[in-house]
Amino acid sequence: IPAVELHEKIVTPAMHLIGERWRSGELTVADEHIATQTTLDALTRLQPELLRRPSNGKTAVVGCPEDELHEMASRFVSFLLELEGWNVITLGMNTPFFSFRDAVERHRPDLVCISSTLLNDLDRQSREYADLGALARDVGAQLVIGGAGFSEQAVRARFPHDAYCENLRDLLKFAAKP
């Protein structure tokens, strides 16, 4: 099956179920972490077996903001963009926006993808994000946000972006635009 379907129809529902069981007390944090690491390890081993498009000459910076400890979605984004021929700079979880800014300044990407399940201290983070947004515009990068942390319109309004993607399919469709 296509990689995006693997993520959206198999891995994502399984991880949502694990999260629900963790919230209900059926699973421990250790159980959730084992499931996450097992899934990421399996996807890493699978990646060389999947069809990869030739390089498109574009670069993306992908990561999660400060205080975000859930990196699976951003890893999926990196994984799928790489399969589509992108050069991906993966910053991982818990990355302050000033560090995103440093990466944008250094790598001058075409796309910046930020995934968050929750945002703490919206006032501070939106101020720091503003500097990132200004630099992204200066270098010609488009900003994409996604995840539950950005699901509310009022929150998205504080983080100006070119696209809010509710799922990986939306992201791939946006990234494919010229």
Side-chain angles (χ1 to χ4, degrees), residues 32-53:
E32 185 270 339
H33 285 197
I34 290 168
T36 299
Q37 291 308 311
T38 300
T39 301
L40 289 173
D41 289 347
L43 289 171
T44 299
R45 285 193 300 274
L46 178 63
Q47 192 171 11
E49 304 300 321
L50 297 173
L51 179 64
R52 184 179 302 269
R53 294 186 190 278

mmCIF file of all heavy atoms in Angstrom, residues 32-53:
data_model
loop_
_atom_site.group_PDB
_atom_site.id
_atom_site.type_symbol
_atom_site.label_atom_id
_atom_site.label_comp_id
_atom_site.label_asym_id
_atom_site.label_seq_id
_atom_site.Cartn_x
_atom_site.Cartn_y
_atom_site.Cartn_z
ATOM 1 N N GLU A 32 3.357 3.038 26.345
ATOM 2 C CA GLU A 32 3.167 3.965 25.216
ATOM 3 C C GLU A 32 4.506 4.245 24.536
ATOM 4 O O GLU A 32 4.600 4.256 23.311
ATOM 5 C CB GLU A 32 2.514 5.260 25.708
ATOM 6 C CG GLU A 32 2.151 6.237 24.616
ATOM 7 C CD GLU A 32 3.261 7.214 24.284
ATOM 8 O OE1 GLU A 32 4.157 7.419 25.135
ATOM 9 O OE2 GLU A 32 3.247 7.770 23.166
ATOM 10 N N HIS A 33 5.557 4.424 25.317
ATOM 11 C CA HIS A 33 6.874 4.700 24.745
ATOM 12 C C HIS A 33 7.407 3.487 23.978
ATOM 13 O O HIS A 33 8.011 3.644 22.917
ATOM 14 C CB HIS A 33 7.848 5.129 25.832
ATOM 15 C CG HIS A 33 7.613 6.525 26.313
ATOM 16 N ND1 HIS A 33 8.554 7.231 27.025
ATOM 17 C CD2 HIS A 33 6.562 7.356 26.172
ATOM 18 C CE1 HIS A 33 8.083 8.434 27.319
ATOM 19 N NE2 HIS A 33 6.867 8.525 26.804
ATOM 20 N N ILE A 34 7.179 2.288 24.511
ATOM 21 C CA ILE A 34 7.605 1.078 23.806
ATOM 22 C C ILE A 34 6.889 0.976 22.472
ATOM 23 O O ILE A 34 7.503 0.689 21.433
ATOM 24 C CB ILE A 34 7.368 -0.173 24.672
ATOM 25 C CG1 ILE A 34 8.336 -0.181 25.848
ATOM 26 C CG2 ILE A 34 7.507 -1.457 23.835
ATOM 27 C CD1 ILE A 34 7.999 -1.211 26.923
ATOM 28 N N ALA A 35 5.583 1.218 22.466
ATOM 29 C CA ALA A 35 4.815 1.159 21.215
ATOM 30 C C ALA A 35 5.312 2.194 20.217
ATOM 31 O O ALA A 35 5.464 1.897 19.021
ATOM 32 C CB ALA A 35 3.327 1.369 21.499
ATOM 33 N N THR A 36 5.586 3.397 20.683
ATOM 34 C CA THR A 36 6.069 4.461 19.810
ATOM 35 C C THR A 36 7.422 4.099 19.214
ATOM 36 O O THR A 36 7.626 4.196 17.994
ATOM 37 C CB THR A 36 6.163 5.797 20.573
ATOM 38 O OG1 THR A 36 4.852 6.151 21.031
ATOM 39 C CG2 THR A 36 6.729 6.898 19.707
ATOM 40 N N GLN A 37 8.351 3.672 20.054
ATOM 41 C CA GLN A 37 9.690 3.344 19.566
ATOM 42 C C GLN A 37 9.669 2.127 18.640
ATOM 43 O O GLN A 37 10.381 2.095 17.634
ATOM 44 C CB GLN A 37 10.658 3.123 20.730
ATOM 45 C CG GLN A 37 10.968 4.393 21.492
ATOM 46 C CD GLN A 37 11.435 5.517 20.582
ATOM 47 O OE1 GLN A 37 12.315 5.347 19.743
ATOM 48 N NE2 GLN A 37 10.830 6.684 20.723
ATOM 49 N N THR A 38 8.850 1.149 18.960
ATOM 50 C CA THR A 38 8.723 -0.034 18.106
ATOM 51 C C THR A 38 8.201 0.372 16.728
ATOM 52 O O THR A 38 8.703 -0.091 15.695
ATOM 53 C CB THR A 38 7.785 -1.071 18.758
ATOM 54 O OG1 THR A 38 8.347 -1.459 20.024
ATOM 55 C CG2 THR A 38 7.614 -2.292 17.880
ATOM 56 N N THR A 39 7.200 1.241 16.707
ATOM 57 C CA THR A 39 6.629 1.707 15.440
ATOM 58 C C THR A 39 7.654 2.501 14.640
ATOM 59 O O THR A 39 7.825 2.281 13.438
ATOM 60 C CB THR A 39 5.368 2.561 15.711
ATOM 61 O OG1 THR A 39 4.425 1.758 16.426
ATOM 62 C CG2 THR A 39 4.751 3.049 14.417
ATOM 63 N N LEU A 40 8.344 3.419 15.303
ATOM 64 C CA LEU A 40 9.351 4.223 14.600
ATOM 65 C C LEU A 40 10.482 3.342 14.077
ATOM 66 O O LEU A 40 10.961 3.541 12.951
ATOM 67 C CB LEU A 40 9.885 5.332 15.509
ATOM 68 C CG LEU A 40 8.906 6.461 15.808
ATOM 69 C CD1 LEU A 40 9.488 7.411 16.859
ATOM 70 C CD2 LEU A 40 8.539 7.225 14.546
ATOM 71 N N ASP A 41 10.904 2.375 14.866
ATOM 72 C CA ASP A 41 11.959 1.456 14.416
ATOM 73 C C ASP A 41 11.499 0.660 13.197
ATOM 74 O O ASP A 41 12.255 0.485 12.236
ATOM 75 C CB ASP A 41 12.368 0.497 15.534
ATOM 76 C CG ASP A 41 13.143 1.175 16.654
ATOM 77 O OD1 ASP A 41 13.590 2.328 16.460
ATOM 78 O OD2 ASP A 41 13.287 0.552 17.726
ATOM 79 N N ALA A 42 10.259 0.175 13.228
ATOM 80 C CA ALA A 42 9.738 -0.597 12.096
ATOM 81 C C ALA A 42 9.657 0.262 10.843
ATOM 82 O O ALA A 42 10.013 -0.191 9.747
ATOM 83 C CB ALA A 42 8.359 -1.160 12.440
ATOM 84 N N LEU A 43 9.210 1.495 10.988
ATOM 85 C CA LEU A 43 9.122 2.389 9.829
ATOM 86 C C LEU A 43 10.506 2.715 9.275
ATOM 87 O O LEU A 43 10.686 2.806 8.057
ATOM 88 C CB LEU A 43 8.374 3.667 10.193
ATOM 89 C CG LEU A 43 6.879 3.481 10.427
ATOM 90 C CD1 LEU A 43 6.275 4.758 10.998
ATOM 91 C CD2 LEU A 43 6.173 3.062 9.153
ATOM 92 N N THR A 44 11.466 2.864 10.142
ATOM 93 C CA THR A 44 12.835 3.130 9.703
ATOM 94 C C THR A 44 13.370 1.947 8.906
ATOM 95 O O THR A 44 13.988 2.130 7.854
ATOM 96 C CB THR A 44 13.743 3.428 10.913
ATOM 97 O OG1 THR A 44 13.242 4.592 11.574
ATOM 98 C CG2 THR A 44 15.179 3.666 10.485
ATOM 99 N N ARG A 45 13.106 0.724 9.386
ATOM 100 C CA ARG A 45 13.563 -0.469 8.652
ATOM 101 C C ARG A 45 12.824 -0.644 7.333
ATOM 102 O O ARG A 45 13.381 -1.142 6.363
ATOM 103 C CB ARG A 45 13.397 -1.707 9.533
ATOM 104 C CG ARG A 45 14.448 -1.807 10.626
ATOM 105 C CD ARG A 45 14.448 -3.179 11.283
ATOM 106 N NE ARG A 45 13.185 -3.534 11.912
ATOM 107 C CZ ARG A 45 12.841 -3.189 13.160
ATOM 108 N NH1 ARG A 45 13.663 -2.473 13.894
ATOM 109 N NH2 ARG A 45 11.684 -3.570 13.654
ATOM 110 N N LEU A 46 11.577 -0.203 7.274
ATOM 111 C CA LEU A 46 10.766 -0.347 6.064
ATOM 112 C C LEU A 46 11.137 0.683 4.992
ATOM 113 O O LEU A 46 11.020 0.413 3.801
ATOM 114 C CB LEU A 46 9.281 -0.186 6.428
ATOM 115 C CG LEU A 46 8.275 -0.246 5.296
ATOM 116 C CD1 LEU A 46 8.309 -1.622 4.634
ATOM 117 C CD2 LEU A 46 6.885 0.067 5.826
ATOM 118 N N GLN A 47 11.596 1.835 5.409
ATOM 119 C CA GLN A 47 11.818 2.942 4.479
ATOM 120 C C GLN A 47 12.632 2.581 3.234
ATOM 121 O O GLN A 47 12.237 2.946 2.137
ATOM 122 C CB GLN A 47 12.441 4.129 5.205
ATOM 123 C CG GLN A 47 12.430 5.385 4.387
ATOM 124 C CD GLN A 47 12.847 6.600 5.187
ATOM 125 O OE1 GLN A 47 13.335 6.496 6.287
ATOM 126 N NE2 GLN A 47 12.671 7.765 4.607
ATOM 127 N N PRO A 48 13.744 1.853 3.345
ATOM 128 C CA PRO A 48 14.507 1.545 2.121
ATOM 129 C C PRO A 48 13.744 0.677 1.128
ATOM 130 O O PRO A 48 14.088 0.641 -0.050
ATOM 131 C CB PRO A 48 15.743 0.807 2.649
ATOM 132 C CG PRO A 48 15.830 1.132 4.092
ATOM 133 C CD PRO A 48 14.433 1.407 4.552
ATOM 134 N N GLU A 49 12.714 -0.020 1.575
ATOM 135 C CA GLU A 49 11.949 -0.911 0.703
ATOM 136 C C GLU A 49 10.874 -0.180 -0.104
ATOM 137 O O GLU A 49 10.309 -0.749 -1.026
ATOM 138 C CB GLU A 49 11.270 -2.011 1.540
ATOM 139 C CG GLU A 49 12.219 -2.815 2.396
ATOM 140 C CD GLU A 49 13.284 -3.532 1.580
ATOM 141 O OE1 GLU A 49 12.959 -4.037 0.490
ATOM 142 O OE2 GLU A 49 14.439 -3.583 2.034
ATOM 143 N N LEU A 50 10.582 1.059 0.253
ATOM 144 C CA LEU A 50 9.489 1.793 -0.377
ATOM 145 C C LEU A 50 9.970 2.568 -1.597
ATOM 146 O O LEU A 50 11.130 3.003 -1.662
ATOM 147 C CB LEU A 50 8.840 2.743 0.626
ATOM 148 C CG LEU A 50 8.188 2.062 1.826
ATOM 149 C CD1 LEU A 50 7.720 3.097 2.836
ATOM 150 C CD2 LEU A 50 7.032 1.178 1.392
ATOM 151 N N LEU A 51 9.063 2.743 -2.529
ATOM 152 C CA LEU A 51 9.356 3.490 -3.745
ATOM 153 C C LEU A 51 9.696 4.934 -3.389
ATOM 154 O O LEU A 51 8.959 5.596 -2.674
ATOM 155 C CB LEU A 51 8.138 3.461 -4.678
ATOM 156 C CG LEU A 51 8.288 4.226 -5.987
ATOM 157 C CD1 LEU A 51 9.384 3.589 -6.843
ATOM 158 C CD2 LEU A 51 6.968 4.220 -6.736
ATOM 159 N N ARG A 52 10.825 5.382 -3.882
ATOM 160 C CA ARG A 52 11.299 6.736 -3.610
ATOM 161 C C ARG A 52 11.384 7.488 -4.933
ATOM 162 O O ARG A 52 11.977 7.018 -5.888
ATOM 163 C CB ARG A 52 12.675 6.657 -2.943
ATOM 164 C CG ARG A 52 13.261 7.965 -2.517
ATOM 165 C CD ARG A 52 14.603 7.730 -1.845
ATOM 166 N NE ARG A 52 14.501 6.857 -0.701
ATOM 167 C CZ ARG A 52 14.303 7.278 0.550
ATOM 168 N NH1 ARG A 52 14.212 8.545 0.797
ATOM 169 N NH2 ARG A 52 14.232 6.411 1.536
ATOM 170 N N ARG A 53 10.782 8.668 -4.961
ATOM 171 C CA ARG A 53 10.867 9.506 -6.160
ATOM 172 C C ARG A 53 12.265 10.122 -6.243
ATOM 173 O O ARG A 53 12.929 10.313 -5.225
ATOM 174 C CB ARG A 53 9.826 10.614 -6.101
ATOM 175 C CG ARG A 53 8.406 10.104 -6.159
ATOM 176 C CD ARG A 53 7.438 11.271 -6.252
ATOM 177 N NE ARG A 53 6.076 10.867 -6.083
ATOM 178 C CZ ARG A 53 5.304 10.362 -7.032
ATOM 179 N NH1 ARG A 53 5.791 10.181 -8.243
ATOM 180 N NH2 ARG A 53 4.054 10.017 -6.785
#
